[in-house]
């Protein structure tokens, strides 16, 4: 008997948010009584980006490439072990989506994560479910990672996305962008937010060291966040633990390296303060009711995803403003919890509708 729903997402990336949202979406479907498999698809662009001698190896600095490679190899082992422990995967698909895949599942869900970000996926049509029949195509909380189409690509995006039965996005900015292109869409929670703090807590591994700490977690290069972390440490007496695999800069900070995803959530749950510029860092700060600040500006981009999430939860006061107000932290999460609960209920209702469609299609197939 086949699993009724096939999920296509970034589960193979050595990235905490990527594997945790994949785990959470499978868990959410399981709560609704529906079996799923993640298609173990090897996206060429994702594989190139995450292999030890991938895009980094194209840089002129050969020494930097060689010194980073052991780090990437270790990370790959950590995330590979997590996939084996926690994710239900199909057979490997290393040379494209396997022939006949559309006949082995009742329907498909693409998402969550930035599966529609052309810089990450290489505009891979598999993430628009081009291999499936139109009645099988659904998305859940997909993200573009931008709020305006890349130059010259709007027509290609709209052509491919019009084939989906229902378009579900993670950010309101994406809905506005698609509606202006003539495609209706809805907003749903990132899968990690479908699970409550009580559900994440038994998943998490608690740090052995109980001394209070400021968890600093950065992606894409922080602007002012590290300086703020040092100031906060001076004011509070809490040490800084820096969850980051870089090794050349900020050597005064104590590093957390090669943490498994269960340890990652544990570091968030048990922190006295959290400072981050990461979307999923924002997610777990909210879920665990942390005293936290989010830096939206990074060296490479602006974090649209965290901005939209904070706004939808009424948590704009948790944005780093580079002023004296930054040292005041939110203590009351009653209203954000209420808003999040409403959004969670709405998103589970949508997932239930997908399950209902899968059941109907399964019965039709069995006739």
């Amino acid at each position: 008997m086949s699993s009724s729903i096939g999920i296509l997402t970034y589960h193979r990336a050595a990235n905490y948010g990527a594997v945790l949202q994949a785990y959470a979406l499978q868990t959410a479907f399981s709560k609704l009584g529906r079996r799923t498999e993640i298609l173990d698809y090897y996206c060429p662009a994702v594989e190139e980006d995450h292999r030890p001698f991938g895009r980094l190896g194209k840089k002129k600095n050969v020494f930097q490439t060689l010194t980073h490679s052991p780090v990437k190899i270790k990370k790959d082992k950590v995330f590979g072990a997590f996939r084996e422990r926690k994710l239900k995967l199909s057979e490997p698909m290393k040379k494209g989506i396997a022939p006949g895949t559309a006949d082995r599942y009742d329907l498909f869900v693409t998402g969550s994560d930035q599966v529609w970000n052309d810089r990450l996926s290489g505009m891979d049509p598999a993430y628009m479910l081009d291999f499936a029949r139109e009645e099988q195509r659904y998305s859940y909380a997909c993200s573009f990672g931008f709020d305006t189409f890349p130059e010259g690509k709007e027509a290609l995006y709209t052509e491919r996305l019009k084939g989906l039965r229902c378009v579900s996005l993670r950010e309101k900015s994406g809905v506005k962008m698609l509606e202006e292109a003539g495609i209706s869409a809805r907003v749903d929670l990132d899968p990690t937010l479908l699970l409550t703090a009580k559900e994440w807590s038994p998943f998490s591994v608690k740090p052995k060291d109980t001394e209070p700490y400021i968890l600093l977690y950065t992606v894409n290069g922080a602007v002012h966040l590290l300086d703020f972390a040092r100031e906060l440490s001076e004011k509070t007496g809490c040490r800084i633990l820096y969850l980051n695999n870089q090794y050349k800069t900020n050597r005064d900070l104590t590093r957390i390296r090669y943490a498994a995803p269960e340890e990652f959530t544990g570091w968030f749950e048990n922190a006295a303060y959290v400072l981050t510029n990461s979307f999923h860092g924002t997610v777990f700060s909210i879920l665990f009711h942390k005293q936290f600040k989010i830096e939206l500006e990074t060296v490479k981009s602006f974090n649209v995803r965290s901005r939209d999430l904070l706004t939808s939860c009424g948590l704009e006061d948790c944005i780093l403003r580079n002023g004296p107000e930054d040292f005041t932290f939110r203590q009351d999460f009653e209203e954000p919890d209420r808003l999040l609960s409403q959004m969670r209920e709405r998103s589970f209702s949508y997932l239930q509708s997908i399950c209902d469609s899968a059941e109907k299609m399964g019965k039709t197939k069995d006739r």
Side-chain angles (χ1 to χ4, degrees):
M1 183 178 177
S2 66
S3 297
S4 61
I5 298 175
I7 298 171
L8 197 65
T9 189
Y10 283 160
H11 70 290
R12 288 190 49 76
N15 175 283
Y16 293 110
V19 298
L20 288 170
Q21 62 82 23
Y23 165 80
L25 186 57
Q26 280 204 311
T27 302
F29 273 120
S30 179
K31 288 174 67 175
L32 295 174
R34 184 60 52 179
R35 290 188 302 156
T36 62
E37 277 186 348
I38 294 172
L39 303 190
D40 196 13
Y41 172 59
Y42 286 54
C43 171
V46 175
E47 296 300 314
E48 174 74 5
D49 192 36
H50 286 273
R51 66 190 178 93
F53 293 93
R55 292 177 184 174
L56 187 61
K58 296 178 182 178
K59 294 182 178 181
K60 293 180 180 179
N61 191 339
V62 177
F63 172 76
Q64 187 181 27
T65 301
L66 293 174
T67 51
H68 272 76
S69 293
V71 172
K72 298 190 83 173
I73 290 170
K74 266 193 171 182
K75 281 182 64 179
D76 284 346
K77 287 182 178 179
V78 168
F79 285 92
F82 176 80
R83 287 193 293 270
E84 290 184 11
R85 279 197 311 275
K86 295 292 187 179
L87 302 184
K88 298 170 185 175
L89 304 177
S90 73
E91 73 283 358
M93 299 184 185
K94 297 183 179 182
K95 296 182 179 180
I97 300 296
T101 296
D103 297 324
R104 291 200 293 272
Y105 299 87
D106 295 323
L107 56 78
F108 298 89
V109 174
T110 181
S112 177
D113 216 341
Q114 297 183 66
V115 292
W116 292 343
N117 186 331
D118 62 316
R119 291 187 299 104
L120 302 180
S121 70
M123 205 67 186
D124 191 331
Y127 292 111
M128 279 80 164
L129 304 178
D130 70 324
F131 60 89
R133 297 183 294 276
E134 284 198 7
E135 67 270 18
Q136 293 180 300
R137 302 178 191 175
Y138 290 80
S139 74
Y140 181 78
C142 293
S143 177
F144 292 100
F146 49 76
D147 52 14
T148 57
F149 285 112
E151 187 175 353
K153 293 187 177 179
E154 179 176 345
L156 184 57
Y157 268 108
T158 54
E159 178 188 351
R160 291 180 175 177
L161 294 179
K162 281 180 179 177
L164 271 70
R165 288 293 298 273
C166 186
V167 176
S168 164
L169 301 177
R170 196 169 62 187
E171 289 90 35
K172 289 182 180 179
S173 53
V175 172
K176 181 175 182 293
M177 185 173 66
L178 284 188
E179 287 180 343
E180 290 174 352
I183 298 175
S184 61
R186 54 177 287 141
V187 175
D188 285 292
L189 288 177
D190 183 89
T192 52
L193 288 163
L194 293 174
L195 308 185
T196 64
K198 287 184 178 179
E199 290 172 302
W200 280 114
S201 190
F203 168 92
S204 303
V205 173
K206 186 175 182 179
K208 294 178 181 178
D209 192 342
T210 58
E211 184 183 342
Y213 59 89
I214 300 166
L215 180 65
L216 176 62
Y217 175 53
T218 64
V219 295
N220 291 333
V223 180
H224 302 291
L225 201 59
L226 273 69
D227 290 337
F228 178 67
R230 293 184 176 96
E231 288 186 60
L232 183 63
S233 180
E234 288 184 11
K235 285 180 178 290
T236 63
C238 293
R239 60 190 175 135
I240 300 169
L241 296 183
Y242 193 10
L243 184 55
N244 186 283
N245 288 316
Q246 293 176 351
Y247 64 94
K248 291 182 66 176
T249 58
N250 303 296
R251 293 185 177 181
D252 59 310
L253 302 179
T254 302
R255 303 284 176 147
I256 303 170
R257 299 186 191 274
Y258 315 120
E262 298 96 327
E263 294 171 320
F264 173 86
T265 56
W267 285 114
F268 275 87
E269 183 176 9
N270 293 280
Y273 299 88
V274 175
L275 307 177
T276 186
N277 60 7
S278 151
F279 173 76
H280 283 100
T282 307
V283 165
F284 288 105
S285 298
I286 295 171
L287 286 174
F288 290 129
H289 293 178
K290 295 290 100 177
Q291 297 186 89
F292 74 99
K293 293 294 178 181
I294 308 299
E295 183 173 55
L296 297 179
E297 292 282 356
T298 71
V299 171
K300 294 183 178 180
S301 61
F302 182 84
N303 193 339
V304 174
R305 299 171 296 147
S306 286
R307 180 201 64 191
D308 285 4
L309 175 59
L310 292 170
T311 301
S312 66
C313 292
L315 289 169
E316 295 93 336
D317 56 315
C318 297
I319 296 172
L320 191 72
R321 306 290 184 183
N322 301 314
E325 68 271 25
D326 290 337
F327 293 97
T328 301
F329 291 86
R330 173 178 283 268
Q331 306 293 328
D332 182 7
F333 283 84
E334 183 176 351
E335 181 62 9
D337 280 349
R338 185 186 69 81
L339 293 170
L340 195 55
S341 179
Q342 289 178 347
M343 291 185 280
R344 187 179 288 124
E345 183 178 348
R346 182 174 181 274
S347 290
F348 263 109
S349 178
Y350 172 57
L351 290 182
Q352 183 62 62
S353 73
I354 293 177
C355 292
D356 293 343
S357 295
E359 185 172 355
K360 289 177 183 178
M361 295 179 73
K363 288 179 179 178
T364 301
K365 189 167 61 176
D366 291 339
R367 287 176 185 171

